[in-house]
Amino acid sequence: MEEQHEDHGHSTAAWTGVGVILVGSAVAAVAVAIPNLVLGIIGAVIIIAGVVAGKVLSMAGYGSEAHHAQAGSSIDAPDEVGSQTLGKS
């Protein structure tokens, strides 16, 4: 039986996006600790830049090759026709 697993986003796009978002979150956390509006706005801009960077890299081909549902399909799982779905999510 073929083992099936998902990649769970282990890709350059995912790591870059999450890394930039973590830096932005750290900057925003410092802005909360020492009440500073400008630093909070900078943290929010960095977080948004991380989301955009992850999406752009994913669209450029650096994302994971995750399973995508076929167009027009109303059934999410399983991929094999007639397979049992007990215990699968």
Side-chain angles (χ1 to χ4, degrees):
M1 178 177 216
E2 181 183 335
E3 181 181 336
Q4 294 181 6
H5 66 282
E6 293 185 22
D7 195 18
H8 297 291
H10 297 288
S11 66
T12 303
W15 281 101
T16 302
V18 169
V20 174
I21 290 169
L22 283 173
V23 170
S25 298
V27 171
V30 170
V32 170
I34 56 167
N36 190 336
L37 181 61
V38 175
L39 198 57
I41 292 171
I42 292 171
V45 169
I46 294 172
I47 291 170
I48 292 169
V51 172
V52 171
K55 184 64 177 173
V56 168
L57 285 172
S58 178
M59 290 170 45
Y62 291 100
S64 64
E65 299 294 327
H67 168 73
H68 298 286
Q70 296 177 353
S73 176
S74 61
I75 300 174
D76 187 25
D79 293 334
E80 298 84 20
V81 176
S83 295
Q84 297 292 326
T85 59
L86 298 176
K88 293 183 180 180
S89 58

